[in-house]
């Protein structure tokens, strides 16, 4: 009689920590082709359905808030249940179904609902995914792990808008959304393969209660996150308050006729290429300098309204690269710092809480920026500069304690 196959969660990982980061980067790359391709035309598409600048800012900001605030629930759920893989796979499935359905949207409310649904999928999967990546990061370095993953992720974000741009040029926005079903199917296949190859990422992490040596689950109950974590989250919120979503920028490019419609997703592709490079650079800088390496994100964010809300074509292209570089840092190195500020067993909760704060700030900021845009672009500039100055003030007292914590984790 053949021996009974062991449950998947009891099998050993067949891929090392760096291989896991690379494999998950491939999954995220394919998924990014889908949802970043869609995001590259969300603003112009909503405009064709009658949305104002303020409404575009609200819908996309609300979508980001759903993506981030709901992690207050999905983060602790991941810690409590340890169902990292089911949560991750379910989240990818929601996103991959919602995006191609945009091709069928005929009204503003339908399109807006699907924008939010796509972001809901991200809320479900991201705390669990980031927790699994952080276990690999204890071996390869948190900055490196999240930077490599983000660089691969953003390579998909570069390809997706170019694919969409081609389809928009040939047949309009609906075709741009519909074509994204193909990379979506490939992403599902890839994540199922990685799940089988690495059933237990926590085994990489010797500090984890269920790491390489095994052991009991952490004590259940209320989780007290470190004071430094809360201060760091406040700094991040201030920075994101003044960071426009690309949908508001692309709305400007559409309604002011700064770029032809098919070139708007190409501008987003440029942004994503810059994000990939910035993620790699900022990850290495963070592993070397700690929290001080994050300061460069502030002047980048401050420069965005001067460039991206211009009517000069050359400045708009530069603005796309600057916006993307700041976004690359936000989505990689800011996450890496959380892993160094919070104990391993509570990282799902920490990621959920951190990104909820981040998301509320982005919702408020994108709505304010969209409304200020309707008044005047100089008002957007003043608001952005004020928020980045506030973020800098919040970072200054954090640096010494943050660097000390980073040194302890590195040692």
């Amino acid at each position: 009689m053949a021996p009974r196959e062991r449950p998947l969660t009891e099998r050993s990982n067949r891929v090392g920590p760096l291989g896991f980061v690379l494999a998950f980067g491939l999954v995220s790359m394919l998924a990014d082709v889908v949802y970043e391709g869609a995001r590259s035309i969300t603003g112009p598409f909503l405009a064709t359905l009658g949305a104002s600048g303020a409404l575009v800012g609200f819908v996309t900001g609300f979508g980001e808030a759903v993506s981030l605030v709901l992690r207050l629930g999905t983060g602790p759920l991941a810690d409590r249940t340890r169902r990292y893989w089911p949560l991750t796979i379910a989240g990818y499935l929601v996103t991959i179904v919602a995006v191609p359905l945009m091709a069928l949207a005929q009204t503003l409310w339908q399109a807006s609902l699907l924008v939010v649904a796509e972001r809901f999928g991200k809320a479900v999967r991201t705390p669990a995914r980031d927790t699994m990546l952080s276990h690999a990061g204890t071996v390869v370095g948190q900055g490196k792990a999240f930077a490599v993953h983000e660089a691969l992720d953003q390579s998909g974000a570069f390809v997706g808008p170019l694919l969409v741009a081609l389809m928009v040029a040939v047949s309009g926005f609906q075709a741009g959304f519909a074509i994204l079903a193909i990379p979506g199917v490939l992403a599902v296949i890839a994540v199922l393969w990685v799940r089988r190859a690495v059933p237990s990422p926590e085994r990489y992490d010797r500090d984890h209660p269920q790491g390489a040596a095994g052991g009991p689950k952490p004590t259940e109950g209320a989780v007290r996150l470190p004071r430094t974590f809360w201060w760091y989250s406040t700094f991040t919120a201030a920075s994101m308050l003044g960071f426009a979503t690309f949908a508001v920028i692309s709305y400007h490019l559409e309604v002011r006729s700064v770029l032809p419609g098919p070139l708007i997703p190409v501008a987003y592709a440029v942004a994503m290429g810059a994000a990939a490079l910035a993620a790699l650079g900022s990850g290495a800088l963070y592993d070397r300098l700690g929290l001080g390496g994050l300061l460069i994100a502030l002047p980048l964010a401050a420069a965005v309204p001067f460039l991206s809300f211009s009517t000069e074509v050359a400045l708009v292209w530069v603005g796309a690269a600057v916006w993307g570089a700041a976004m690359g840092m936000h989505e990689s190195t800011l996450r890496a710092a959380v892993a160094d500020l919070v104990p391993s067993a509570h990282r799902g909760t920490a990621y959920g809480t951190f990104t909820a704060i981040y998301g509320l700030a982005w919702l408020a900021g994108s709505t304010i920026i969209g409304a200020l845009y309707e008044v005047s672009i100089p008002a957007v500039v003043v608001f952005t500069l004020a928020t980045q100055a506030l973020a800098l003030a919040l970072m200054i007292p954090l640096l010494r304690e943050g660097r000390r914590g980073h040194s302890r984790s590195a040692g």
Side-chain angles (χ1 to χ4, degrees), residues 134 137-138 141-143 146 226 228-229 286-287 290-291 333-344 347 351 401-402 404-411:
S134 75
T138 61
Q142 297 295 356
F146 280 93
T228 306
F229 164 83
Y286 172 76
D287 280 339
L291 293 175
T333 315
L334 290 182
R335 289 156 49 211
V338 173
D340 281 333
L341 293 172
V342 177
S344 172
R347 284 183 195 149
Y351 277 118
E401 187 173 356
R404 190 185 309 125
H406 176 77
S407 298
R408 285 197 299 267
S409 68

PDB file of all heavy atoms in Angstrom, residues 134 137-138 141-143 146 226 228-229 286-287 290-291 333-344 347 351 401-402 404-411:
ATOM      1  N   SER A 134       8.182  38.597   5.358  1.00  0.00           N
ATOM      2  CA  SER A 134       9.033  39.038   6.469  1.00  0.00           C
ATOM      3  C   SER A 134       9.784  37.873   7.090  1.00  0.00           C
ATOM      4  O   SER A 134      10.888  38.051   7.619  1.00  0.00           O
ATOM      5  CB  SER A 134       8.190  39.760   7.526  1.00  0.00           C
ATOM      6  OG  SER A 134       7.420  38.855   8.290  1.00  0.00           O
ATOM      7  N   GLY A 137      12.651  37.520   5.077  1.00  0.00           N
ATOM      8  CA  GLY A 137      13.500  38.687   5.302  1.00  0.00           C
ATOM      9  C   GLY A 137      14.409  38.569   6.507  1.00  0.00           C
ATOM     10  O   GLY A 137      15.450  39.233   6.571  1.00  0.00           O
ATOM     11  N   THR A 138      14.045  37.734   7.487  1.00  0.00           N
ATOM     12  CA  THR A 138      14.932  37.552   8.642  1.00  0.00           C
ATOM     13  C   THR A 138      16.239  36.889   8.240  1.00  0.00           C
ATOM     14  O   THR A 138      17.234  36.987   8.959  1.00  0.00           O
ATOM     15  CB  THR A 138      14.250  36.686   9.730  1.00  0.00           C
ATOM     16  OG1 THR A 138      13.954  35.404   9.194  1.00  0.00           O
ATOM     17  CG2 THR A 138      12.975  37.344  10.227  1.00  0.00           C
ATOM     18  N   GLY A 141      17.576  39.730   4.900  1.00  0.00           N
ATOM     19  CA  GLY A 141      17.535  41.160   5.199  1.00  0.00           C
ATOM     20  C   GLY A 141      16.175  41.716   4.829  1.00  0.00           C
ATOM     21  O   GLY A 141      15.705  41.501   3.696  1.00  0.00           O
ATOM     22  N   GLN A 142      15.522  42.431   5.746  1.00  0.00           N
ATOM     23  CA  GLN A 142      14.170  42.926   5.475  1.00  0.00           C
ATOM     24  C   GLN A 142      14.156  43.915   4.309  1.00  0.00           C
ATOM     25  O   GLN A 142      13.279  43.862   3.434  1.00  0.00           O
ATOM     26  CB  GLN A 142      13.587  43.581   6.735  1.00  0.00           C
ATOM     27  CG  GLN A 142      13.408  42.642   7.918  1.00  0.00           C
ATOM     28  CD  GLN A 142      12.381  41.544   7.657  1.00  0.00           C
ATOM     29  OE1 GLN A 142      11.725  41.508   6.625  1.00  0.00           O
ATOM     30  NE2 GLN A 142      12.252  40.625   8.611  1.00  0.00           N
ATOM     31  N   GLY A 143      15.121  44.837   4.292  1.00  0.00           N
ATOM     32  CA  GLY A 143      15.158  45.801   3.193  1.00  0.00           C
ATOM     33  C   GLY A 143      15.319  45.115   1.856  1.00  0.00           C
ATOM     34  O   GLY A 143      14.628  45.428   0.885  1.00  0.00           O
ATOM     35  N   PHE A 146      12.010  42.950   0.835  1.00  0.00           N
ATOM     36  CA  PHE A 146      10.882  43.745   0.347  1.00  0.00           C
ATOM     37  C   PHE A 146      11.255  44.540  -0.901  1.00  0.00           C
ATOM     38  O   PHE A 146      10.408  44.782  -1.758  1.00  0.00           O
ATOM     39  CB  PHE A 146      10.378  44.664   1.461  1.00  0.00           C
ATOM     40  CG  PHE A 146       9.499  43.962   2.456  1.00  0.00           C
ATOM     41  CD1 PHE A 146      10.034  43.420   3.611  1.00  0.00           C
ATOM     42  CD2 PHE A 146       8.146  43.814   2.227  1.00  0.00           C
ATOM     43  CE1 PHE A 146       9.239  42.749   4.528  1.00  0.00           C
ATOM     44  CE2 PHE A 146       7.326  43.149   3.141  1.00  0.00           C
ATOM     45  CZ  PHE A 146       7.874  42.612   4.289  1.00  0.00           C
ATOM     46  N   PRO A 226       4.619  48.221  19.847  1.00  0.00           N
ATOM     47  CA  PRO A 226       5.583  49.154  20.454  1.00  0.00           C
ATOM     48  C   PRO A 226       5.242  50.614  20.182  1.00  0.00           C
ATOM     49  O   PRO A 226       4.662  50.957  19.148  1.00  0.00           O
ATOM     50  CB  PRO A 226       6.915  48.770  19.790  1.00  0.00           C
ATOM     51  CG  PRO A 226       6.711  47.382  19.274  1.00  0.00           C
ATOM     52  CD  PRO A 226       5.269  47.278  18.914  1.00  0.00           C
ATOM     53  N   THR A 228       7.268  52.963  19.360  1.00  0.00           N
ATOM     54  CA  THR A 228       7.965  53.425  18.167  1.00  0.00           C
ATOM     55  C   THR A 228       7.156  53.120  16.906  1.00  0.00           C
ATOM     56  O   THR A 228       7.151  53.903  15.950  1.00  0.00           O
ATOM     57  CB  THR A 228       9.346  52.749  18.062  1.00  0.00           C
ATOM     58  OG1 THR A 228      10.059  52.961  19.259  1.00  0.00           O
ATOM     59  CG2 THR A 228      10.142  53.328  16.903  1.00  0.00           C
ATOM     60  N   PHE A 229       6.465  51.994  16.905  1.00  0.00           N
ATOM     61  CA  PHE A 229       5.621  51.642  15.771  1.00  0.00           C
ATOM     62  C   PHE A 229       4.533  52.689  15.558  1.00  0.00           C
ATOM     63  O   PHE A 229       4.257  53.100  14.419  1.00  0.00           O
ATOM     64  CB  PHE A 229       4.986  50.262  15.999  1.00  0.00           C
ATOM     65  CG  PHE A 229       3.828  49.968  15.087  1.00  0.00           C
ATOM     66  CD1 PHE A 229       4.033  49.495  13.806  1.00  0.00           C
ATOM     67  CD2 PHE A 229       2.519  50.180  15.510  1.00  0.00           C
ATOM     68  CE1 PHE A 229       2.961  49.242  12.957  1.00  0.00           C
ATOM     69  CE2 PHE A 229       1.442  49.930  14.672  1.00  0.00           C
ATOM     70  CZ  PHE A 229       1.670  49.454  13.391  1.00  0.00           C
ATOM     71  N   TYR A 286      18.001  51.428   3.265  1.00  0.00           N
ATOM     72  CA  TYR A 286      17.404  51.142   4.571  1.00  0.00           C
ATOM     73  C   TYR A 286      18.214  50.109   5.349  1.00  0.00           C
ATOM     74  O   TYR A 286      18.443  50.260   6.548  1.00  0.00           O
ATOM     75  CB  TYR A 286      15.964  50.651   4.403  1.00  0.00           C
ATOM     76  CG  TYR A 286      15.361  50.168   5.697  1.00  0.00           C
ATOM     77  CD1 TYR A 286      14.933  51.076   6.652  1.00  0.00           C
ATOM     78  CD2 TYR A 286      15.263  48.807   5.974  1.00  0.00           C
ATOM     79  CE1 TYR A 286      14.417  50.640   7.864  1.00  0.00           C
ATOM     80  CE2 TYR A 286      14.745  48.363   7.172  1.00  0.00           C
ATOM     81  CZ  TYR A 286      14.320  49.281   8.117  1.00  0.00           C
ATOM     82  OH  TYR A 286      13.820  48.838   9.319  1.00  0.00           O
ATOM     83  N   ASP A 287      18.663  49.044   4.675  1.00  0.00           N
ATOM     84  CA  ASP A 287      19.465  48.038   5.360  1.00  0.00           C
ATOM     85  C   ASP A 287      20.775  48.629   5.887  1.00  0.00           C
ATOM     86  O   ASP A 287      21.337  48.148   6.868  1.00  0.00           O
ATOM     87  CB  ASP A 287      19.766  46.859   4.425  1.00  0.00           C
ATOM     88  CG  ASP A 287      18.592  45.894   4.314  1.00  0.00           C
ATOM     89  OD1 ASP A 287      17.732  45.900   5.214  1.00  0.00           O
ATOM     90  OD2 ASP A 287      18.538  45.144   3.321  1.00  0.00           O
ATOM     91  N   GLY A 290      18.996  52.397   8.168  1.00  0.00           N
ATOM     92  CA  GLY A 290      17.805  52.348   8.999  1.00  0.00           C
ATOM     93  C   GLY A 290      16.790  53.390   8.564  1.00  0.00           C
ATOM     94  O   GLY A 290      16.695  53.762   7.390  1.00  0.00           O
ATOM     95  N   LEU A 291      16.005  53.918   9.514  1.00  0.00           N
ATOM     96  CA  LEU A 291      14.904  54.825   9.192  1.00  0.00           C
ATOM     97  C   LEU A 291      15.357  56.096   8.480  1.00  0.00           C
ATOM     98  O   LEU A 291      14.593  56.683   7.706  1.00  0.00           O
ATOM     99  CB  LEU A 291      14.151  55.195  10.474  1.00  0.00           C
ATOM    100  CG  LEU A 291      13.389  54.054  11.156  1.00  0.00           C
ATOM    101  CD1 LEU A 291      12.791  54.534  12.472  1.00  0.00           C
ATOM    102  CD2 LEU A 291      12.304  53.517  10.240  1.00  0.00           C
ATOM    103  N   THR A 333      10.017  49.929   1.137  1.00  0.00           N
ATOM    104  CA  THR A 333      10.849  50.174   2.304  1.00  0.00           C
ATOM    105  C   THR A 333      10.028  50.578   3.525  1.00  0.00           C
ATOM    106  O   THR A 333      10.383  50.223   4.658  1.00  0.00           O
ATOM    107  CB  THR A 333      11.897  51.253   1.992  1.00  0.00           C
ATOM    108  OG1 THR A 333      12.487  50.972   0.725  1.00  0.00           O
ATOM    109  CG2 THR A 333      12.983  51.266   3.042  1.00  0.00           C
ATOM    110  N   LEU A 334       8.925  51.305   3.339  1.00  0.00           N
ATOM    111  CA  LEU A 334       8.081  51.622   4.476  1.00  0.00           C
ATOM    112  C   LEU A 334       7.543  50.347   5.120  1.00  0.00           C
ATOM    113  O   LEU A 334       7.414  50.250   6.341  1.00  0.00           O
ATOM    114  CB  LEU A 334       6.921  52.527   4.053  1.00  0.00           C
ATOM    115  CG  LEU A 334       7.270  53.971   3.661  1.00  0.00           C
ATOM    116  CD1 LEU A 334       6.005  54.747   3.313  1.00  0.00           C
ATOM    117  CD2 LEU A 334       8.035  54.679   4.765  1.00  0.00           C
ATOM    118  N   ARG A 335       7.232  49.343   4.309  1.00  0.00           N
ATOM    119  CA  ARG A 335       6.775  48.061   4.834  1.00  0.00           C
ATOM    120  C   ARG A 335       7.906  47.309   5.523  1.00  0.00           C
ATOM    121  O   ARG A 335       7.696  46.644   6.544  1.00  0.00           O
ATOM    122  CB  ARG A 335       6.201  47.201   3.700  1.00  0.00           C
ATOM    123  CG  ARG A 335       4.876  47.685   3.162  1.00  0.00           C
ATOM    124  CD  ARG A 335       4.634  47.208   1.728  1.00  0.00           C
ATOM    125  NE  ARG A 335       4.870  45.798   1.555  1.00  0.00           N
ATOM    126  CZ  ARG A 335       5.313  45.243   0.413  1.00  0.00           C
ATOM    127  NH1 ARG A 335       5.583  46.006  -0.635  1.00  0.00           N
ATOM    128  NH2 ARG A 335       5.495  43.948   0.332  1.00  0.00           N
ATOM    129  N   ALA A 336       9.097  47.387   4.967  1.00  0.00           N
ATOM    130  CA  ALA A 336      10.234  46.677   5.560  1.00  0.00           C
ATOM    131  C   ALA A 336      10.486  47.160   6.979  1.00  0.00           C
ATOM    132  O   ALA A 336      10.810  46.369   7.871  1.00  0.00           O
ATOM    133  CB  ALA A 336      11.478  46.886   4.698  1.00  0.00           C
ATOM    134  N   ALA A 337      10.342  48.454   7.227  1.00  0.00           N
ATOM    135  CA  ALA A 337      10.611  48.996   8.556  1.00  0.00           C
ATOM    136  C   ALA A 337       9.667  48.407   9.599  1.00  0.00           C
ATOM    137  O   ALA A 337      10.061  48.206  10.755  1.00  0.00           O
ATOM    138  CB  ALA A 337      10.488  50.517   8.528  1.00  0.00           C
ATOM    139  N   VAL A 338       8.436  48.125   9.229  1.00  0.00           N
ATOM    140  CA  VAL A 338       7.482  47.550  10.180  1.00  0.00           C
ATOM    141  C   VAL A 338       7.997  46.220  10.721  1.00  0.00           C
ATOM    142  O   VAL A 338       7.867  45.916  11.908  1.00  0.00           O
ATOM    143  CB  VAL A 338       6.097  47.379   9.516  1.00  0.00           C
ATOM    144  CG1 VAL A 338       5.142  46.623  10.433  1.00  0.00           C
ATOM    145  CG2 VAL A 338       5.514  48.735   9.150  1.00  0.00           C
ATOM    146  N   ALA A 339       8.584  45.419   9.855  1.00  0.00           N
ATOM    147  CA  ALA A 339       9.093  44.108  10.280  1.00  0.00           C
ATOM    148  C   ALA A 339      10.197  44.243  11.318  1.00  0.00           C
ATOM    149  O   ALA A 339      10.363  43.365  12.166  1.00  0.00           O
ATOM    150  CB  ALA A 339       9.610  43.331   9.068  1.00  0.00           C
ATOM    151  N   ASP A 340      10.945  45.339  11.290  1.00  0.00           N
ATOM    152  CA  ASP A 340      12.011  45.546  12.265  1.00  0.00           C
ATOM    153  C   ASP A 340      11.511  46.196  13.552  1.00  0.00           C
ATOM    154  O   ASP A 340      12.208  46.176  14.568  1.00  0.00           O
ATOM    155  CB  ASP A 340      13.121  46.411  11.660  1.00  0.00           C
ATOM    156  CG  ASP A 340      14.045  45.624  10.734  1.00  0.00           C
ATOM    157  OD1 ASP A 340      14.169  44.400  10.935  1.00  0.00           O
ATOM    158  OD2 ASP A 340      14.629  46.231   9.823  1.00  0.00           O
ATOM    159  N   LEU A 341      10.312  46.782  13.513  1.00  0.00           N
ATOM    160  CA  LEU A 341       9.789  47.479  14.690  1.00  0.00           C
ATOM    161  C   LEU A 341       8.888  46.609  15.555  1.00  0.00           C
ATOM    162  O   LEU A 341       8.589  46.966  16.697  1.00  0.00           O
ATOM    163  CB  LEU A 341       8.999  48.723  14.249  1.00  0.00           C
ATOM    164  CG  LEU A 341       9.798  49.849  13.591  1.00  0.00           C
ATOM    165  CD1 LEU A 341       8.864  50.915  13.040  1.00  0.00           C
ATOM    166  CD2 LEU A 341      10.784  50.462  14.576  1.00  0.00           C
ATOM    167  N   VAL A 342       8.444  45.456  15.021  1.00  0.00           N
ATOM    168  CA  VAL A 342       7.424  44.651  15.691  1.00  0.00           C
ATOM    169  C   VAL A 342       7.881  43.203  15.791  1.00  0.00           C
ATOM    170  O   VAL A 342       8.467  42.671  14.844  1.00  0.00           O
ATOM    171  CB  VAL A 342       6.087  44.734  14.907  1.00  0.00           C
ATOM    172  CG1 VAL A 342       5.031  43.852  15.548  1.00  0.00           C
ATOM    173  CG2 VAL A 342       5.605  46.173  14.838  1.00  0.00           C
ATOM    174  N   PRO A 343       7.626  42.524  16.921  1.00  0.00           N
ATOM    175  CA  PRO A 343       7.991  41.104  17.043  1.00  0.00           C
ATOM    176  C   PRO A 343       7.354  40.247  15.966  1.00  0.00           C
ATOM    177  O   PRO A 343       6.255  40.539  15.482  1.00  0.00           O
ATOM    178  CB  PRO A 343       7.463  40.723  18.436  1.00  0.00           C
ATOM    179  CG  PRO A 343       7.397  42.009  19.181  1.00  0.00           C
ATOM    180  CD  PRO A 343       7.059  43.059  18.164  1.00  0.00           C
ATOM    181  N   SER A 344       8.028  39.175  15.612  1.00  0.00           N
ATOM    182  CA  SER A 344       7.625  38.325  14.501  1.00  0.00           C
ATOM    183  C   SER A 344       6.192  37.833  14.602  1.00  0.00           C
ATOM    184  O   SER A 344       5.435  37.865  13.629  1.00  0.00           O
ATOM    185  CB  SER A 344       8.584  37.132  14.406  1.00  0.00           C
ATOM    186  OG  SER A 344       8.144  36.193  13.472  1.00  0.00           O
ATOM    187  N   ARG A 347       3.335  40.389  13.484  1.00  0.00           N
ATOM    188  CA  ARG A 347       3.515  41.220  12.293  1.00  0.00           C
ATOM    189  C   ARG A 347       2.246  41.341  11.460  1.00  0.00           C
ATOM    190  O   ARG A 347       2.015  42.361  10.818  1.00  0.00           O
ATOM    191  CB  ARG A 347       4.657  40.675  11.442  1.00  0.00           C
ATOM    192  CG  ARG A 347       6.020  40.999  12.026  1.00  0.00           C
ATOM    193  CD  ARG A 347       7.142  40.519  11.138  1.00  0.00           C
ATOM    194  NE  ARG A 347       8.398  40.513  11.879  1.00  0.00           N
ATOM    195  CZ  ARG A 347       9.390  39.670  11.652  1.00  0.00           C
ATOM    196  NH1 ARG A 347       9.263  38.752  10.716  1.00  0.00           N
ATOM    197  NH2 ARG A 347      10.488  39.735  12.358  1.00  0.00           N
ATOM    198  N   TYR A 351       1.055  44.909  10.397  1.00  0.00           N
ATOM    199  CA  TYR A 351       0.863  45.326   9.014  1.00  0.00           C
ATOM    200  C   TYR A 351      -0.565  45.800   8.776  1.00  0.00           C
ATOM    201  O   TYR A 351      -0.812  46.767   8.051  1.00  0.00           O
ATOM    202  CB  TYR A 351       1.215  44.186   8.053  1.00  0.00           C
ATOM    203  CG  TYR A 351       2.699  44.087   7.769  1.00  0.00           C
ATOM    204  CD1 TYR A 351       3.419  42.955   8.103  1.00  0.00           C
ATOM    205  CD2 TYR A 351       3.377  45.143   7.176  1.00  0.00           C
ATOM    206  CE1 TYR A 351       4.780  42.869   7.855  1.00  0.00           C
ATOM    207  CE2 TYR A 351       4.734  45.077   6.921  1.00  0.00           C
ATOM    208  CZ  TYR A 351       5.431  43.934   7.266  1.00  0.00           C
ATOM    209  OH  TYR A 351       6.773  43.862   7.025  1.00  0.00           O
ATOM    210  N   GLU A 401      15.881  56.673  18.007  1.00  0.00           N
ATOM    211  CA  GLU A 401      15.320  55.433  18.531  1.00  0.00           C
ATOM    212  C   GLU A 401      15.145  54.398  17.426  1.00  0.00           C
ATOM    213  O   GLU A 401      15.395  53.204  17.626  1.00  0.00           O
ATOM    214  CB  GLU A 401      13.973  55.712  19.199  1.00  0.00           C
ATOM    215  CG  GLU A 401      13.390  54.506  19.911  1.00  0.00           C
ATOM    216  CD  GLU A 401      12.146  54.852  20.704  1.00  0.00           C
ATOM    217  OE1 GLU A 401      11.784  56.050  20.750  1.00  0.00           O
ATOM    218  OE2 GLU A 401      11.550  53.928  21.275  1.00  0.00           O
ATOM    219  N   GLY A 402      14.756  54.855  16.243  1.00  0.00           N
ATOM    220  CA  GLY A 402      14.583  53.943  15.127  1.00  0.00           C
ATOM    221  C   GLY A 402      15.889  53.300  14.699  1.00  0.00           C
ATOM    222  O   GLY A 402      15.935  52.098  14.412  1.00  0.00           O
ATOM    223  N   ARG A 404      18.463  52.814  16.605  1.00  0.00           N
ATOM    224  CA  ARG A 404      18.862  51.869  17.635  1.00  0.00           C
ATOM    225  C   ARG A 404      18.140  50.547  17.497  1.00  0.00           C
ATOM    226  O   ARG A 404      18.727  49.470  17.582  1.00  0.00           O
ATOM    227  CB  ARG A 404      18.589  52.477  19.009  1.00  0.00           C
ATOM    228  CG  ARG A 404      19.190  51.670  20.156  1.00  0.00           C
ATOM    229  CD  ARG A 404      18.787  52.239  21.506  1.00  0.00           C
ATOM    230  NE  ARG A 404      19.055  53.683  21.561  1.00  0.00           N
ATOM    231  CZ  ARG A 404      18.138  54.589  21.856  1.00  0.00           C
ATOM    232  NH1 ARG A 404      16.907  54.244  22.099  1.00  0.00           N
ATOM    233  NH2 ARG A 404      18.467  55.860  21.888  1.00  0.00           N
ATOM    234  N   GLY A 405      16.808  50.611  17.211  1.00  0.00           N
ATOM    235  CA  GLY A 405      16.044  49.385  17.009  1.00  0.00           C
ATOM    236  C   GLY A 405      16.502  48.626  15.784  1.00  0.00           C
ATOM    237  O   GLY A 405      16.583  47.397  15.782  1.00  0.00           O
ATOM    238  N   HIS A 406      16.840  49.359  14.720  1.00  0.00           N
ATOM    239  CA  HIS A 406      17.338  48.719  13.504  1.00  0.00           C
ATOM    240  C   HIS A 406      18.668  47.991  13.772  1.00  0.00           C
ATOM    241  O   HIS A 406      18.891  46.876  13.293  1.00  0.00           O
ATOM    242  CB  HIS A 406      17.525  49.771  12.416  1.00  0.00           C
ATOM    243  CG  HIS A 406      18.117  49.240  11.165  1.00  0.00           C
ATOM    244  ND1 HIS A 406      17.409  48.508  10.249  1.00  0.00           N
ATOM    245  CD2 HIS A 406      19.393  49.309  10.667  1.00  0.00           C
ATOM    246  CE1 HIS A 406      18.188  48.172   9.241  1.00  0.00           C
ATOM    247  NE2 HIS A 406      19.384  48.648   9.470  1.00  0.00           N
ATOM    248  N   SER A 407      19.549  48.623  14.577  1.00  0.00           N
ATOM    249  CA  SER A 407      20.832  47.996  14.873  1.00  0.00           C
ATOM    250  C   SER A 407      20.646  46.717  15.678  1.00  0.00           C
ATOM    251  O   SER A 407      21.322  45.723  15.448  1.00  0.00           O
ATOM    252  CB  SER A 407      21.708  48.981  15.670  1.00  0.00           C
ATOM    253  OG  SER A 407      21.969  50.126  14.895  1.00  0.00           O
ATOM    254  N   ARG A 408      19.701  46.721  16.617  1.00  0.00           N
ATOM    255  CA  ARG A 408      19.435  45.519  17.407  1.00  0.00           C
ATOM    256  C   ARG A 408      18.945  44.387  16.526  1.00  0.00           C
ATOM    257  O   ARG A 408      19.362  43.242  16.656  1.00  0.00           O
ATOM    258  CB  ARG A 408      18.405  45.827  18.498  1.00  0.00           C
ATOM    259  CG  ARG A 408      18.958  46.618  19.663  1.00  0.00           C
ATOM    260  CD  ARG A 408      18.019  46.514  20.846  1.00  0.00           C
ATOM    261  NE  ARG A 408      16.702  47.048  20.542  1.00  0.00           N
ATOM    262  CZ  ARG A 408      16.325  48.289  20.773  1.00  0.00           C
ATOM    263  NH1 ARG A 408      17.167  49.156  21.316  1.00  0.00           N
ATOM    264  NH2 ARG A 408      15.099  48.701  20.495  1.00  0.00           N
ATOM    265  N   SER A 409      18.018  44.703  15.597  1.00  0.00           N
ATOM    266  CA  SER A 409      17.476  43.653  14.731  1.00  0.00           C
ATOM    267  C   SER A 409      18.526  43.129  13.773  1.00  0.00           C
ATOM    268  O   SER A 409      18.543  41.944  13.429  1.00  0.00           O
ATOM    269  CB  SER A 409      16.263  44.178  13.958  1.00  0.00           C
ATOM    270  OG  SER A 409      16.660  45.158  13.031  1.00  0.00           O
ATOM    271  N   ALA A 410      19.432  44.009  13.328  1.00  0.00           N
ATOM    272  CA  ALA A 410      20.480  43.579  12.397  1.00  0.00           C
ATOM    273  C   ALA A 410      21.517  42.728  13.108  1.00  0.00           C
ATOM    274  O   ALA A 410      22.134  41.827  12.536  1.00  0.00           O
ATOM    275  CB  ALA A 410      21.147  44.784  11.753  1.00  0.00           C
ATOM    276  N   GLY A 411      21.731  43.026  14.384  1.00  0.00           N
ATOM    277  CA  GLY A 411      22.708  42.259  15.128  1.00  0.00           C
ATOM    278  C   GLY A 411      22.151  40.954  15.598  1.00  0.00           C
ATOM    279  O   GLY A 411      22.589  39.908  15.292  1.00  0.00           O
TER     280      GLY A 411
END
